[in-house]
Amino acid sequence: MTTILVTGGTGLVGKAIEHIINTEPEGSRFGKKPGETWIFASSGDADLRDAAQTQALYDKYKPTHVIHLAALVGGLFKNMKYKLTFLRENILINDNILHASHVNQTQKVISCLSTCVFPDKVEYPLDEDKIHGGPPHESNFGYAHAKRMVDVQNHAYKEEFGCNFTSAIPTNVFGPYDNFDLEDSHVIPGLIHKCYLAKKNGTPFVVAGTGRPLRQFIYSYDLAKLFIWQLREYDDVEPVILSVGEDEEVSIKDVANAIVNAVGFEGHYSFDTSRADGQYRKPASNKKLLSLIGEFEFTPFEKALQETVEWFVANYDTARTGKTKTS
Ligand code: NAP
Ligand code: GDP
C-alpha cells in the first residue's frame, strides 16, 4: 500500500495534483494506481510550522511518500514586504517536514522549490547545477534562501541517513484555485482579478511595473503531471527543473494583453512604472526534464490562460480573492 501525503494540498499546485489524479484514466502514467491513497492536507490539518502538529499528521496518515508543497507563498510585492517572515516560516515548515519524514521512515519526499532560488547574477539559462553559485535577487531573498536550504538538507539527509529526498524547481505557475488576491498574489492571478474588476466596474486596469520583465509560465495541470512523474519515476537527490522551454519566455506586457483578451476588457490599460519590476528575467532550461520524461505535451499558454480566466469568472464567489476583494 502506498499513501501519498501532499502538503499544501489545498493550494494552486495541490489542487491541480488532486484534479489530475482524479481525472486521468486509472492506472495510466498520471492517473491513480491501484493501492494508492492520496491525502491532500491543508494548514487546518496541521500547522507545519509546529513540530508536534507535523508529527501528529504523520501519526494520523503514516505516509509512505510525501509531495511537500506547503509554504508561505506570494508574488513580488508580498515577498518584498515580509522577507524575514518568508525566511523563517518556510525554514520551519521545511525542517519539520524533512525531520518528520526521516524519523517516520518515509520512503520518498519531493519538496517544491522555485526558480527564485537561483543566483541573480548568473549565466542563462538556469540549470540544476547553478543553485548555490551566488546570492538570489534581493527582492525575495528570504523566500529564496529558505527554499535553497532544502537542497542542502536533502543532500545531508542522504549522506548521513541514506534518505530518498529530492526537489522540484517549477517556474512561475498559474491555473484554477490560485490565490487571486489583488496585492499579495502572483502576476497572473493578480492581473486577472484586476482586469475582471476593471471590466465589471468600468474602472482603469493598471499593471504594475514597466511590463518589460520576462517570465516562463507553467500551467498548474501540466506541473501536476510532472510532479506525479517525478514521484513515480525519478529517484535521485538532485533537483529537476519543471518548466516549459527556455525559449518560451513571455513579457509581463504580453501577459497583460492575453488577460485583456481572455477577460474581454475593451478599455485602455496602463503601466504604473513607479512600482517594482523585480528580477528582469530568469529563464530556466528543461533539458534535464525532457531527457528523463521523454515526450511531454505542455498546454499552450493562451489556452491555459483562457481556462484559468473562465475558472475565475465561474468561481468568483468562492475563489481565493483575499481581504482586498472589493465587490
Ligand atoms: P498556495 O496556493 O499559496 O498554497 C499554499 C499551500 O500551503 C496551501 O495548501 C496552504 O494551506 C499551505 N500552507 C501554507 N502555510 C502552511 C502552514 N504553516 N502549515 C501547513 N500548510 C500550510 O501555493 P502554491 O502556489 O500552490 O505553491 C505550492 C508550492 O509551489 C510552494 O512550495 C511554492 O513555493 C511553490 N512554487 C509556487 C510557484 C507559483 O508561481 N505559485 C512558483 C514556483 C514554486 P491552506 O490552504 O490551509 O492555507
Ligand atoms: P516573480 O517571478 O516572483 O517576480 O513573480 P510575480 O508573479 O510576482 O511577477 C512579478 C512581475 O509581474 C514583476 O515584473 C511585476 O512588476 C509584474 N506585475 C505586474 N502587475 C502585477 C501584479 O498585479 N502582481 C504581481 N505580483 N506582479 C505584477
Side-chain angles (χ1 to χ4, degrees), residues 79-297:
N79 267 278
M80 286 167 62
K81 267 189 288 187
Y82 304 111
K83 285 179 182 156
L84 191 268
T85 310
F86 269 94
L87 179 69
R88 185 155 188 273
E89 295 206 357
N90 286 317
I91 285 176
L92 286 171
I93 291 172
N94 296 336
D95 188 54
N96 285 333
I97 282 293
L98 295 180
H99 179 69
S101 298
H102 163 52
V103 299
N104 294 286
Q105 297 178 340
T106 304
Q107 289 168 32
K108 179 167 181 177
V109 180
I110 305 174
S111 297
C112 189
L113 312 187
S114 154
T115 46
C116 298
V117 301
F118 285 100
D120 180 35
K121 295 193 174 33
V122 64
E123 197 175 316
Y124 293 126
L126 304 171
D127 68 42
E128 289 82 354
D129 297 329
K130 294 180 179 167
I131 298 180
H132 302 286
H137 192 262
E138 54 81 26
S139 61
N140 52 23
F141 77 78
Y143 173 80
H145 275 297
K147 290 273 178 186
R148 197 185 267 198
M149 204 45 58
V150 170
D151 178 61
V152 176
Q153 288 174 287
N154 283 347
H155 279 86
Y157 272 109
K158 182 183 168 73
E159 287 187 25
E160 189 170 342
F161 299 114
C163 296
N164 185 11
F165 295 173
T166 189
S167 58
I169 310 182
T171 51
N172 295 52
V173 191
F174 70 103
Y177 305 99
D178 208 339
N179 172 13
F180 291 86
D181 188 277
L182 291 170
E183 265 311 303
D184 285 346
S185 62
H186 288 98
V187 57
I188 289 185
L191 290 185
I192 288 176
H193 191 176
K194 285 176 188 167
C195 192
Y196 170 85
L197 291 179
K199 180 182 171 187
K200 190 167 140 192
N201 303 332
T203 49
F205 173 42
V206 182
V207 179
T210 62
R212 282 198 292 268
L214 301 166
R215 296 288 183 271
Q216 264 165 309
F217 293 98
I218 183 163
Y219 192 33
S220 59
Y221 291 165
D222 293 345
L223 179 61
K225 291 178 181 170
L226 299 178
F227 265 106
I228 295 164
W229 160 78
Q230 197 174 353
L231 178 79
R232 292 175 176 156
E233 302 184 43
Y234 179 81
D235 279 307
D236 192 284
V237 65
E238 298 300 341
V240 187
I241 292 172
L242 305 182
S243 174
V244 300
E246 67 198 66
D247 54 344
E248 294 191 48
E249 286 178 292
V250 183
S251 73
I252 300 302
K253 184 167 195 236
D254 289 342
V255 169
N257 285 337
I259 289 174
V260 160
N261 283 338
V263 169
F265 174 70
E266 288 179 348
H268 289 289
Y269 74 90
S270 59
F271 292 90
D272 179 356
T273 54
S274 70
R275 304 205 66 196
D277 267 347
Q279 213 163 353
Y280 173 57
R281 65 192 288 246
K282 41 185 171 177
S285 164
N286 65 359
K287 218 164 136 186
K288 177 173 177 179
L289 168 69
L290 295 185
S291 74
L292 292 165
I293 198 171
E295 285 293 292
F296 186 81
E297 207 172 310

